[in-house]
Amino acid sequence: MYEIDFNKPVHVFFVGIGGISMSGLAEILHQAGFRVSGSDWKSSAITKGLEAKGIQVFYGENAAHISDDIDCAVLTSAVKESNAEFTAIREKKIPYLSRAELLGQLMKNYKTSIAISGTHGKTTTTSMVSEILLKADTDPTLSIGGILKTIGGNIRVGKSDYFVTEACEYTNSFLSFFPTVGLILNVEEDHLDFFKDLADIRNSFRKFAELLPAEGCLIINADIPDYQEITNGLPCKVITYSTEHSADYTANTIAYNELGCASFTAVTPTGEAQLSLKVPGLHNVSNALAALALADYLAVDRTVTHDALFGFTGTDRRFEYKGTIGGVNIIDDYAHHPTEIAATLTAAKNYPHNTLWCVFQPHTYTRTKAFLDDFAKALSLADKVVLADIYAARETDTLGISSEDLQAKIQALGCDATYLPSFDEIENFLLENCIKGDLLITMGAGDVVKIGENLLGM
């Protein structure tokens, strides 16, 4: 594998530079003095931001973008063998790395490299941890899978030995990392276009845990069924947390305010801590416990941790308040897995509303088909569901599945579900049917956020 010498900046080209993680890595190298360029399918707020910083971005897929002066290329996992730029890179014998391999090499430069993994909650927990380390004046380098308002983006380049990143299991990318501290938030079935089954996924998380050095630490959710299969025999320190079972860190006396945000007592090995959150739901109590356990391991003052968690109001597209129109509050959420959907809609039950509307855009045919019944059950927690077409993302085979199949499953559970093929039709339907006092949540990992923004005239 090609090794980047971070003391000798060269020209690095990113294929797929507009992705949230790829753009962050590009910015880190740019700030380190590397010449950085890249390509993406179309212009976006992210690519425009990169261009404003002096990074050259090409649009479309074209072999001509690959110049002879490129020293190394970085590829997103979505790049296929047939990609014209990838073909040109191989023909010119330019060394190349995956996004995960570059991130792993970057982690080697930091004494404390923190990798936050799990099927759900990575971005929120990474953001909580980031807020704590910023509040503690540790000057960390941060790579987050969403926009954190405190830093005005998804990336921050610090000068200390602290590095924090999300660690995604898809295509086993997190197995290219070199963490000294690892978090595992949950392990469930997902990405079944890559993994064979849950056992295959659990095996990957075990391998991730094995990456930690003997002097390192793994923080793991004890609510994961048989979590000991992941931790048994590890040479590193293991810290557990739970909202349901016995663990090193647990939550007692959980109370919710009128917006569904929790205050609770964290019971820890060194005594109790009182925490209050400004993000809703029991799932965020769990995320906060993980962040507290990490902060304690890093010897962050408890007052700092409390203040940072209390000040955290979420990241973009995580139960994000978008605005109000005609007395209807509009929230947007990235949830695209049944567990995430259930957590978000359960949290929304505590938010002031008359009727709870959920506009859901399924994400990928593979996931929709694999979890069809689970999606229906989770979505039926809403009073009324409106379904958009499936967002294909990287997939081309429909597998014979559609949003109409999901609609039928939801209706069979006695929940009101409507399918409309276009965003325009959905927006008109909502304008005609939502009334003052209702709560409208747009939900999904695609571009469903546009529906709420269009209604608000954003």
Side-chain angles (χ1 to χ4, degrees):
M1 183 196 305
Y2 178 79
E3 288 278 346
I4 287 182
D5 186 342
F6 291 93
N7 295 311
K8 295 180 180 178
V10 294
H11 182 188
V12 181
F13 186 93
F14 286 76
V15 182
I17 199 169
I20 192 78
S21 179
M22 289 282 279
S23 64
L25 290 171
E27 191 172 333
I28 288 175
L29 291 188
H30 177 68
Q31 292 197 36
F34 284 72
R35 179 185 170 194
V36 177
S37 60
S39 63
D40 212 276
W41 279 107
K42 58 184 179 180
S43 176
S44 66
I46 290 176
T47 60
K48 289 176 182 177
L50 294 173
E51 289 175 309
K53 292 178 173 70
I55 295 173
Q56 185 176 23
V57 181
F58 300 93
Y59 294 101
E61 180 185 320
N62 193 326
H65 297 159
I66 308 303
S67 56
D68 292 332
D69 63 344
I70 295 171
D71 298 293
C72 174
V74 181
L75 311 176
T76 177
S77 59
V79 173
K80 293 181 169 55
E81 289 282 331
S82 58
N83 181 283
E85 293 171 2
F86 187 21
T87 299
I89 288 166
R90 285 175 294 181
E91 288 177 350
K92 291 177 182 287
K93 293 182 169 53
I94 297 171
Y96 60 88
L97 300 168
S98 69
R99 176 201 63 83
E101 288 169 340
L102 172 59
L103 184 51
Q105 290 188 21
L106 186 64
M107 294 175 79
K108 291 181 180 180
N109 294 326
Y110 296 85
K111 183 178 179 181
T112 303
S113 292
I114 302 163
I116 300 174
S117 73
T119 317
H120 328 294
K122 291 186 293 293
T123 296
T124 296
T125 308
T126 303
S127 298
M128 286 179 171
V129 169
S130 298
E131 293 282 11
I132 292 168
L133 294 180
L134 290 168
K135 194 82 171 176
D137 294 325
T138 60
D139 194 20
T141 295
L142 309 172
S143 178
I144 306 169
I147 304 302
L148 183 63
K149 298 178 181 66
T150 304
I151 62 174
N154 69 304
I155 199 76
R156 180 188 189 274
V157 179
K159 294 184 173 66
S160 75
D161 279 331
Y162 287 94
F163 181 85
V164 183
T165 185
E166 294 185 28
C168 182
E169 75 276 12
Y170 184 57
T171 68
N172 280 330
S173 63
F174 64 177
L175 299 186
S176 296
F177 291 3
F178 294 88
T180 60
V181 183
L183 271 71
I184 299 179
L185 305 173
N186 36 62
V187 181
E188 296 186 27
E189 284 183 301
D190 199 8
H191 300 303
L192 295 178
D193 57 329
F194 175 77
F195 293 108
K196 290 183 291 187
D197 50 27
L198 181 57
D200 191 22
I201 296 169
R202 288 175 64 91
N203 181 57
S204 286
F205 277 93
R206 168 69 192 194
K207 289 179 179 177
F208 170 73
E210 290 173 348
L211 296 175
L212 294 161
E215 66 275 14
C217 177
L218 174 67
I219 299 168
I220 188 167
N221 189 347
D223 295 333
I224 297 169
D226 298 318
Y227 77 90
Q228 295 90 345
E229 290 180 354
I230 296 172
T231 61
N232 282 342
L234 293 178
C236 66
K237 181 181 180 68
V238 175
I239 299 172
T240 59
Y241 70 95
S242 171
T243 58
E244 298 178 9
H245 300 97
S246 176
D248 298 317
Y249 286 74
T250 58
N252 282 348
T253 60
I254 302 172
Y256 297 94
N257 66 13
E258 68 279 2
L259 298 179
C261 303
S263 294
F264 63 97
T265 300
V267 181
T268 83
T270 56
E272 295 183 348
Q274 304 300 320
L275 296 177
S276 296
L277 306 178
K278 289 182 179 175
V279 285
L282 180 62
H283 60 296
N284 278 317
V285 173
S286 181
N287 293 336
L289 280 176
L292 172 63
L294 174 60
D296 282 355
Y297 175 74
L298 299 176
V300 175
D301 184 270
R302 281 275 178 88
T303 302
V304 171
T305 300
H306 171 276
D307 292 348
L309 289 175
F310 183 67
F312 175 64
T313 57
T315 53
D316 284 5
R317 301 222 59 211
R318 271 73 179 179
F319 211 87
E320 180 188 7
Y321 172 75
K322 303 294 289 188
T324 301
I325 180 172
V328 178
N329 288 321
I330 299 179
I331 302 288
D332 181 64
D333 197 274
Y334 190 71
H336 56 286
H337 183 281
T339 300
E340 297 167 342
I341 293 166
T344 297
L345 293 179
T346 299
K349 295 284 189 181
N350 293 309
Y351 197 97
H353 67 276
N354 292 328
T355 299
L356 175 57
W357 291 79
C358 179
V359 180
F360 181 63
Q361 180 186 42
H363 190 261
T364 73
Y365 300 105
T366 303
R367 184 181 284 115
T368 305
K369 184 172 183 177
F371 302 120
L372 192 63
D373 289 334
D374 294 326
F375 275 124
K377 184 178 179 181
L379 288 165
S380 66
L381 291 171
D383 298 315
K384 295 180 182 292
V385 179
V386 180
L387 297 170
D389 276 327
I390 296 171
Y391 188 85
R394 56 190 173 268
E395 297 182 345
T396 55
D397 186 351
T398 68
L399 303 176
I401 202 76
S402 74
S403 290
E404 289 176 287
D405 296 312
L406 181 54
Q407 177 193 20
K409 291 282 188 180
I410 297 170
Q411 289 174 335
L413 293 174
C415 181
D416 188 331
T418 302
Y419 161 70
L420 295 167
S422 73
F423 281 8
D424 282 343
E425 290 172 279
I426 292 173
E427 289 160 22
N428 289 330
F429 177 82
L430 295 172
L431 287 170
E432 292 173 4
N433 291 279
C434 289
I435 61 174
K436 184 177 180 180
D438 288 354
L439 176 61
L440 171 62
I441 302 180
T442 56
M443 185 179 288
D447 55 356
V448 68
V449 61
K450 294 178 181 177
I451 291 175
E453 292 178 345
N454 290 341
L455 290 173
L456 292 165
M458 297 175 70

